[in-house]
Amino acid sequence: MTRRSVDSSAEAPVLSPAERFAASRIRQDHPAVEAFRAGLSFELDPFQIESCVALEDGDGVLVAAPTGAGKTIVAEFAIYLAMSSVRDKVFYTAPMKALSNQKYNELVDVYGAGEVGLLTGDTAVNPRARVVVMTTEVLRNMLYAESPLLTDLTFVIMDEVHYLADRFRGAVWEEVIIHLPQTVRLVSLSATVSNAEEFGDWMQAVRGRTRVIVSEERPVPLEQHVLMRTKLVDLFDASQGASVGAFRVNPELIQMARHGGRTISSRQMQDVGRRHSKGGAAWSGSGRAFGMPRSELAGLLNQQNLLPAIFFIFSRAGCDAAVRQAMRDGVRLTESWERAEIREIVEERCRTLLDEDLAVLGYWQWLEGLERGVAAHHAGLLPAFKEVVEELFQRKLVKVVFATETLALGINMPARTVVLEKLEKFNGESRVPITPGEYTQLTGRAGRRGIDVEGHSVICWQEGLDPQAVGSLASRRSYPLNSSFKPTYNMAINLIERFGRDRTRTILESSFAQYQADRAVVDLARKVRQQEESLAGYERAMHDETGVAGDVTEYAAIRREITDLEKAGARPGDQTAKQRERRQREITDLRRRLKAHPAHTSPRREELSRWAERWWRLKRQTEQLQAQIATRTGAVARIFDRVTEVLLSEGYLQVDDDGDVRPTMHGTMLARIYGERDLLLAESLRRQVWTGLDAPAFAALATVFVYEARREEGVVTDRFLPKGPFREAWNRLEGLWERLDDLERANRLPGSQLPSVGLCTAMWRWARGSALDSVLQEADLQAGDFVRWTKQVIDLLDQITNVADGQTRRTAQQAIEAIRRGVVAYSSVGG
């Protein structure tokens, strides 16, 4: 059986005597690594060898390396080790279904369909295989359910493990890491993060032997440019005068930015350099356009042999508009034989789409763009279309892709060049600059290993940008990994059922979130100790050896109180005459006490008061730090206690005769419900909110548990919602949400947003058989978004069929059948 060959540099590096000796020791002591290497058509990099050696030694590994560096080889070696045995199994987890599908197809090519399975929530292919690809949520659910599929599990590969920083889904990664049996070894693959050692230390604490391997070297060097008018200018100075490894912004770029993108004379250039070195303005906005049309830029990149390219545009509408613009401008980047191959692939991949839906989906315009070598890629595209774009780009048939940043999250679409049109994006609330980590992730797509000698990034210059700020952004290659973990109702029920309340608190305190908080506490405690030493020094400095001054801190406190009262009286406001009079009496009394204090007559009064003022200021800062320590210590366990109190008050948990907390019958149901609104869904089933609904109304109501309205979306009034039993069910559900929200806030939990009914009517019509065009118009959604939300609704309905019984269960099944049709039913593998 042949393993897949991965692109790498053709030439093997020349080894020193010491390196040759180390290599011979590896061959002698690690036969599995040597056998694995012998089956490859390329040499492994040092970090890959170190990682494979660690796995053969019986350790888990955390591998942090740039995009495209070849981390996947480490995962392939873990699979190789497992498949070399008789029964060992491997689970390969990925954060997104698209990544799971891609990895499944790659592994099938290597090991055959009989040895590889796929589990993505709505797709189950060969789940008892020895190598199973799945989303991380599926593995989390299997752990809580103590699935028999966990038997003989030896390795879990967690691809894109830095995803645990995701504030919506990141907690799932930590749950898996904490709850996997200790016999299972973790192969964690991460982008380059600046705190890999901290994350590795936590992994070591909760998983045992874990080796941290960090590589910061890009396999293909990145050349960074700025598009200034019609010229590509190097971002960094590559002249001989620049120190090796230094990131010095190109002086030519600085002077061009200052002069509206125009090149100036060398004498003017020297003048710019002198002013910049003295701290003067390095650039000024000229009010003129700095860039060129996208179609012309695509042509420029084509002329300089810098295609294929990904243009990152942080807007779906912008991506679609870019394709239309390229077509209007007559862009054609393909040969006739390529166009024929593109059409053949598209027709084969999309043959199951209904003819009546093709026009609604914009199929013909999309195909024309593909044949010209341009395409968009974003979450609003139909999954089938996205998969075709990815395949054609990988085959070098599509030359330019206009994409949102979701393309940077691990999909295998490397390019020769990455173009960033802007260095800011909309985060849902406002436009914010992209972070160094995001910049690294985006430009990580540039440079195809084994194909390109170097990758290229192009920043389209915008008026007002600071060259030094751009250089700083582009030179920082990593970002910190911070936990987003927090206990949920479902998590609490599952853990209490398995371990009891006390042990669950201990388990949660082992989370990375608490680990980071505790590390912060260590730093805070160190600062408190330092400040306490300073306080002691201040006390010695304000000591009056004669004893005449008495307690100087008391004297300083009186002076401070007088100052605060005088400031309060000076502030404008609606103070009554009585309030002003009372404040003045307090000030007069304090002044009398001040004059009577022994320190008032001390010759060192002002000197001692200054030391006392410093002491008070530092004392207040120290108390604030101590308060921070108090709030951080055990923070995760405290949230768990509040979650537990809500569950106890609602009857999902109960205290048994021995004083232990155990799930009730309703709690057992909640343990099998996963999602942001797990408790609300459990309550709605328990209170029979769904009773009396037909399948379309059932599907419509299910949308409110998963759908998140866009910020610009208007409020949907009741008159637009389905009539009859649906209205009554929604009103009851809204009442349940209000009660739970009040209960959560009473228990010092953040509460939740009112569920959105924005997709209800569209889903109701879809379930009743309406045409795709009318449903998309009703939902005001793109086809890809509608398919994505509908599949999430199907997943939720599937959960209801697992926990409900009787008519509710039957109607949920009918609702699934009603909405799983047309473009929703289409999928390639798990699409």
Side-chain angles (χ1 to χ4, degrees), residues 88-109:
D88 289 351
K89 291 165 59 175
V90 180
F91 287 170
Y92 194 116
T93 71
M96 295 180 293
K97 291 180 182 179
L99 288 177
S100 298
N101 297 340
Q102 190 176 79
K103 183 53 60 177
Y104 169 79
N105 289 321
E106 290 175 4
L107 290 171
V108 165
D109 290 343

Side-chain angles (χ1 to χ4, degrees), residues 639-655:
I639 295 173
F640 165 73
D641 288 338
R642 294 166 189 169
V643 166
T644 302
E645 288 305 313
V646 170
L647 293 172
L648 282 166
S649 67
E650 290 300 292
Y652 289 89
L653 292 172
Q654 64 183 4
V655 180

Side-chain angles (χ1 to χ4, degrees), residues 771-793:
L772 179 64
D773 58 347
S774 67
V775 170
L776 293 181
Q777 186 175 1
E778 170 66 42
D780 190 23
L781 288 175
Q782 292 180 292
D785 287 321
F786 178 72
V787 169
R788 177 167 54 90
W789 289 123
T790 305
K791 289 194 171 185
Q792 289 187 37
V793 170

Side-chain angles (χ1 to χ4, degrees), residues 234-503:
D234 289 342
L235 174 58
F236 295 113
D237 185 6
S239 67
Q240 293 180 349
S243 59
V244 177
F247 290 99
R248 177 172 174 254
V249 175
N250 187 352
E252 181 188 1
L253 175 64
I254 295 173
Q255 61 95 353
M256 289 183 74
R258 180 178 178 82
H259 290 81
R262 299 188 305 279
T263 304
I264 59 175
S265 69
S266 57
R267 185 168 183 176
Q268 290 173 309
M269 178 79 173
Q270 291 169 1
D271 183 49
V272 169
R274 281 195 300 272
R275 277 180 289 173
H276 181 60
S277 64
K278 293 178 181 178
W283 92 102
S284 64
S286 67
R288 302 185 184 184
F290 287 95
M292 63 195 305
R294 294 177 182 127
S295 53
E296 292 183 22
L297 176 54
L300 176 64
L301 295 177
N302 195 25
Q303 290 168 16
Q304 300 194 17
N305 196 26
L306 294 179
L307 295 181
I310 299 172
F311 284 60
F312 281 111
I313 303 173
F314 302 121
S315 153
R316 298 178 185 184
C319 293
D320 294 333
V323 173
R324 291 194 297 271
Q325 178 190 4
M327 293 169 67
R328 282 196 304 271
D329 292 346
V331 169
R332 190 177 294 279
L333 303 170
T334 53
E335 304 289 338
S336 59
W337 67 268
E338 291 176 310
R339 291 193 286 277
E341 189 172 342
I342 287 169
R343 181 175 285 274
E344 182 181 343
I345 292 171
V346 170
E347 289 176 351
E348 168 63 23
R349 299 292 182 270
C350 299
R351 68 184 187 281
T352 59
L353 293 176
L354 301 177
D355 290 343
E356 60 264 31
D357 291 339
L358 294 182
V360 180
L361 297 170
Y363 173 85
W364 305 110
Q365 298 93 324
W366 172 70
L367 176 58
E368 182 185 354
L370 294 176
E371 291 181 335
R372 289 168 177 253
V374 296
H377 188 288
H378 55 72
L381 279 183
L382 192 70
F385 286 10
K386 276 199 297 184
E387 291 165 12
V388 169
V389 171
E390 291 159 14
E391 180 178 352
L392 294 178
F393 194 78
Q394 288 165 8
R395 293 190 181 203
K396 304 175 198 152
L397 295 170
V398 165
K399 318 294 184 179
V400 170
V401 167
F402 301 102
T404 57
E405 69 269 30
T406 54
L407 182 56
L409 294 175
I411 301 282
N412 184 23
M413 279 181 65
R416 178 162 294 169
T417 303
V418 161
V419 178
L420 300 181
E421 294 203 345
K422 292 184 179 178
L423 295 180
E424 62 176 20
K425 65 174 186 175
F426 187 69
N427 67 355
E429 295 181 358
S430 61
R431 300 206 67 82
V432 295
I434 64 172
T435 65
E438 289 168 332
Y439 182 89
T440 301
Q441 194 87 353
L442 294 166
T443 56
R445 293 280 145 224
R448 299 161 299 175
R449 189 170 186 174
I451 302 174
D452 298 322
V453 177
E454 60 196 15
H456 297 265
S457 69
V458 176
I459 297 169
C460 297
W461 191 261
Q462 302 286 326
E463 181 183 353
L465 285 179
D466 178 356
Q468 296 294 344
V470 174
S472 175
L473 173 75
S475 62
R476 292 169 60 191
R477 308 307 307 157
S478 61
Y479 54 98
L481 180 61
N482 294 313
S483 172
S484 61
F485 182 85
K486 61 180 184 296
T488 64
Y489 296 112
N490 170 277
M491 184 195 304
I493 289 281
N494 275 292
L495 293 180
I496 288 172
E497 186 172 31
R498 292 180 65 190
F499 305 114
R501 184 175 187 174
D502 291 341
R503 190 175 167 207

Side-chain angles (χ1 to χ4, degrees), residues 677-732:
R677 299 187 181 274
D678 48 8
L679 182 57
L680 181 62
L681 178 56
E683 274 290 275
S684 69
L685 291 168
R686 177 184 175 187
R687 307 295 179 187
Q688 299 185 330
V689 168
W690 304 81
T691 302
L693 298 179
D694 61 8
F698 207 102
L701 190 63
T703 66
V704 307
F705 292 91
V706 297
Y707 178 65
E708 295 172 12
R710 299 188 299 272
R711 283 177 56 85
E712 66 272 16
E713 184 176 297
V715 177
V716 179
T717 60
D718 284 354
R719 66 192 181 91
F720 294 111
L721 295 177
K723 295 181 172 59
F726 175 88
R727 296 277 186 94
E728 182 184 346
W730 164 243
N731 290 335
R732 291 182 63 195

